[in-house]
Amino acid sequence: MEKINYIWGLLRLSMGWIFFWAFIDKLFGLGFATCRDASVNLVDILCEKAWLSGGSPAFGFLKFAAKGPFAEFYQSLAGNPIVDWLFMAGLFGVGIALLLGIGVKIAGYSGVFMMLFIYTAGFILPQNNPFLDEHFVYAIIMIGLILSHSGRWLGFGGWWKNTQLVQKYPILE
């Protein structure tokens, strides 16, 4: 049984990196997903789409990728600074919590909601598969991370669960 716990720990670290990397790329526009077509150099590291350059990290997806019955709702959120702050805070918070193994329950539930929102925004026409996309799979993995107490392996969750704060409020595990 112990070996499977390390697999859950590795899955947690992997999911944490996915969220944290998305935050970093959108914050700085490093030339990957955020500024794929822009030339980015080390002297002028911020592209025009970077959040630090005034870009909206959620605009492109919400405005142009939203499809299906909820498209109008999601498109109406494009460019809203509150949506951008919530999105970036979610990416950062979920990413850091999963990487550290601290607060995995809250991070997991938050990650599930984020993935389901993204999934429903592209509802009906998933990009790579007509029935299932990676956001739904990520949501299932997040539930597994919560149920397996994955923060206790390859992270600080074992120590964290024994703190007085977590003993008093177990949702913080």
Side-chain angles (χ1 to χ4, degrees):
M1 182 65 175
E2 189 172 314
K3 290 179 184 178
I4 193 73
N5 294 333
Y6 286 102
I7 298 297
W8 281 112
L10 288 171
L11 271 170
R12 189 197 79 246
L13 289 168
S14 300
M15 290 301 299
W17 182 248
I18 287 171
F19 276 84
F20 188 69
W21 177 256
F23 169 80
I24 294 296
D25 186 45
K26 290 176 185 331
L27 182 67
F28 294 107
L30 297 178
F32 292 87
T34 303
C35 298
R36 183 165 298 180
D37 298 330
S39 63
V40 178
N41 58 55
L42 294 176
V43 176
D44 183 26
I45 191 130
L46 301 176
C47 78
E48 69 281 349
K49 293 181 184 176
W51 197 32
L52 289 177
S53 291
S56 170
F59 179 81
F61 176 76
L62 292 173
K63 193 70 175 173
F64 304 112
K67 304 277 188 259
F70 307 114
E72 188 175 324
F73 168 72
Y74 284 111
Q75 290 167 356
S76 74
L77 299 175
N80 184 323
I82 294 170
V83 171
D84 289 335
W85 273 94
L86 289 171
F87 179 62
M88 291 297 280
L91 290 175
F92 178 79
V94 172
I96 288 295
L98 293 179
L99 286 171
L100 295 176
I102 295 173
V104 173
K105 281 186 181 179
I106 291 176
Y109 293 129
S110 300
V112 167
F113 283 116
M114 288 179 74
M115 291 299 102
L116 291 179
F117 284 135
I118 293 169
Y119 180 76
T120 59
F123 200 58
I124 303 295
L125 301 171
Q127 188 174 8
N128 299 317
N129 185 308
F131 305 107
L132 183 68
D133 82 350
E134 67 272 14
H135 299 98
F136 191 76
V137 175
Y138 288 167
I140 294 169
I141 290 171
M142 297 294 250
I143 293 167
L145 296 177
I146 296 165
L147 296 176
S148 69
H149 303 284
S150 64
R152 298 178 189 175
W153 294 274
L154 304 173
F156 297 107
W159 163 80
W160 178 246
K161 76 177 178 83
N162 292 320
T163 63
Q164 287 181 344
L165 183 64
V166 177
Q167 293 294 314
K168 188 173 182 180
Y169 304 104
I171 188 68
L172 298 176
E173 186 181 356

